[in-house]
Amino acid sequence: MNTRAGPTTATRHLARVATPAALLALSGCSGTAPSALDPAGAGAGRVAGLWWVLFWLSMAVFAEVMVVLAWALVFRRRPGAKVRHGQPLRFVTVAGAGVPLVILVTVYALGLCDLAALGDGPGPRATTVEVTGHKWWWEVRVAGVSGATANELHIPVGEKVRIRLRTADVLHSFWVPQLMPKTDLIAGEVRETWLHAERAGSYRGQCAEYCGTQHAHMAFLVVAEPRRDFDAWVTRLGAPAAAPRTDAQRRGQQAFVQGTCAGCHAIRGTGADGRIGPDLSDVGARWSIGAGAVPNDGGHLGGWIANSQTVKPGNYMPPQPVDAQRLPDLIAYLRSLT
C-alpha cells in the first residue's frame, strides 16, 4: 500500500479553481499597460471620474444590503415568538424604489454632463491630425503637410488636437485609454475625436474593435511634447528623408529603391513612392516594428524584411528576396531614417 502523503481530493479541486483565478488576477498587474483609471488628459479624466462614482455607489449599495442581511439573520423571528407588524410598504417604497431612483437620476445627470464635455472639441484653429486605420497598422498625417508616418502621432502638451479618423478596409476603433474614450472607424465615414494631454509623455493606444487575425498587433503611440518639439516633428514630417551618410547606407538605399520594397513603400526624397504599405521616411525613429509586434532594432528589422510572416502572420507583406550580402546594408539604411 502506498503510504506517501498526497494531495486530497478537496486540495486538488481547490488548486484547479484557484490557479486560473490567480493567473487572471496577475494578468492585470503589468506596470506598463495603459489604464483608463490613470488619466493624463481631460477626456480620460471624465471617464475615470464617472467610473469612481459608480464604483463607490456600488460599494455603498453592497454594504447596505450586507447590513440588512446581517440584521435579518441576527434578529430573525424565533420559534413561538409573536409576529411583529411593521411598515413593510414604507420600507419597500423608500429602500426599493426611492433610493434607486435617486441614484439612477444622479448617475444619468453626471453621464450627460460628461457626454457634453467630451463633445466639446477643439476650436477651428486647432491642429488637425488625420489617422487612417489599415489591416493592421495606422497611417498618420498632419493636415496641410505632405508627408506621412505610421503607428505614432505627436501632440502638443496642454492643447486640444482634432483627430479625423477613417478606415481603409474594415471596422477599427481608435482608443488611447489614458487620454480619450474609444471612437469607431466606419467605412465611408470621417469620424472625429480629440486628444488632450496634461503632461508630457508617451501614451499607448490600441485598436479596440476586432478587425482580423492581427487585431492584437495594431497598436500605436501618442507622444505628448512641448509645442516647440511638436512643431519640429511636423517640419520633419514634411521634409525629405535623411540622406545616406555611409557607403553601407548608400548601398542600402540603392537596394531599397531598385528592389521590391519601393513597390509598396515610400521614402520621401527618393524614387520610392509606393502607397500600399507604411511610409518609411522615419522608420528608424519609430517605437516598434509591425504596429507593436516587436521592438525596433536591427535584429528584428532584419527578420521582418526577410519574412514578416514569421513575426506577424497574415499581414500583407510577403517575404522579400533580399540577398544575404545586401541585407545588412538595407538594415543600416532603414535604421538611419530618423
Side-chain angles (χ1 to χ4, degrees):
M1 183 176 69
N2 187 358
T3 59
R4 290 182 299 174
T8 64
T9 302
T11 302
R12 288 195 298 268
H13 178 70
L14 179 62
R16 285 196 297 268
V17 174
T19 300
L23 292 176
L24 181 62
L26 291 174
S27 67
C29 295
S30 171
T32 60
S35 172
L37 299 183
D38 180 26
R46 287 279 178 174
V47 175
L50 184 59
W51 189 93
W52 283 112
V53 169
L54 292 172
F55 173 79
W56 289 116
L57 283 174
S58 301
M59 293 298 295
V61 171
F62 176 78
E64 179 187 4
V65 171
M66 292 299 101
V67 169
V68 172
L69 177 62
W71 178 84
L73 293 175
V74 172
F75 297 101
R76 66 185 183 274
R77 183 163 56 91
R78 301 296 192 278
K82 294 182 179 180
V83 178
R84 293 177 296 174
H85 296 281
Q87 298 293 334
L89 182 59
R90 180 184 301 174
F91 177 79
V92 171
T93 302
V94 174
V99 174
L101 179 62
V102 172
I103 292 175
L104 290 175
V105 170
T106 301
V107 171
Y108 183 67
L110 292 175
L112 289 179
C113 292
D114 289 336
L115 283 175
L118 292 173
D120 185 17
R125 296 185 178 181
T127 301
T128 299
V129 177
E130 300 173 349
V131 179
T132 303
H134 298 264
K135 294 172 62 175
W136 290 274
W137 59 283
W138 302 90
E139 180 182 358
V140 178
R141 296 179 179 271
V142 176
V145 179
S146 59
T149 186
N151 308 318
E152 184 174 316
L153 63 100
H154 293 225
I155 61 173
V157 174
E159 300 180 28
K160 284 185 177 181
V161 177
R162 180 181 294 103
I163 308 295
R164 287 182 178 162
L165 301 167
R166 301 178 179 85
T167 176
D169 35 59
V170 300
L171 181 69
H172 300 286
S173 188
F174 182 88
W175 186 32
V176 190
Q178 292 178 273
L179 299 181
M180 200 62 180
K182 306 170 186 176
T183 303
D184 288 343
L185 284 65
I186 300 175
E189 295 186 16
V190 178
R191 310 298 300 280
E192 282 196 5
T193 185
W194 53 272
L195 295 178
H196 169 268
E198 297 171 345
R199 59 180 185 267
S202 297
Y203 304 98
R204 179 168 173 146
Q206 179 68 41
C207 178
E209 182 75 28
Y210 181 73
C211 53
T213 56
Q214 287 299 327
H215 161 70
H217 288 150
M218 192 174 171
F220 61 96
L221 202 67
V222 176
V223 180
E225 56 195 2
R227 164 56 76 167
R228 180 177 58 184
D229 295 336
F230 171 76
D231 291 338
W233 175 75
V234 173
T235 300
R236 292 194 302 272
L237 195 63
R245 294 184 297 273
T246 67
D247 291 339
Q249 292 173 8
R250 281 187 280 273
R251 291 193 299 268
Q253 183 188 61
Q254 184 179 22
F256 186 95
V257 174
Q258 296 179 355
T260 57
C261 301
C264 295
H265 298 281
I267 295 179
R268 295 188 297 275
T270 71
D273 59 354
R275 293 292 182 267
I276 299 175
D279 188 307
L280 300 181
S281 300
D282 62 348
V283 65
R286 293 176 189 168
W287 69 288
S288 73
I289 299 172
V294 291
N296 188 2
D297 55 42
H300 287 100
L301 181 58
W304 180 271
I305 294 171
N307 188 357
S308 66
Q309 299 302 317
T310 62
V311 180
K312 190 173 179 177
N315 79 88
Y316 290 168
M317 180 174 168
Q320 298 302 302
V322 180
D323 186 270
Q325 295 180 346
R326 305 185 73 180
L327 184 58
D329 296 335
L330 183 56
I331 294 173
Y333 172 60
L334 293 176
R335 295 276 293 161
S336 73
L337 299 177
T338 59

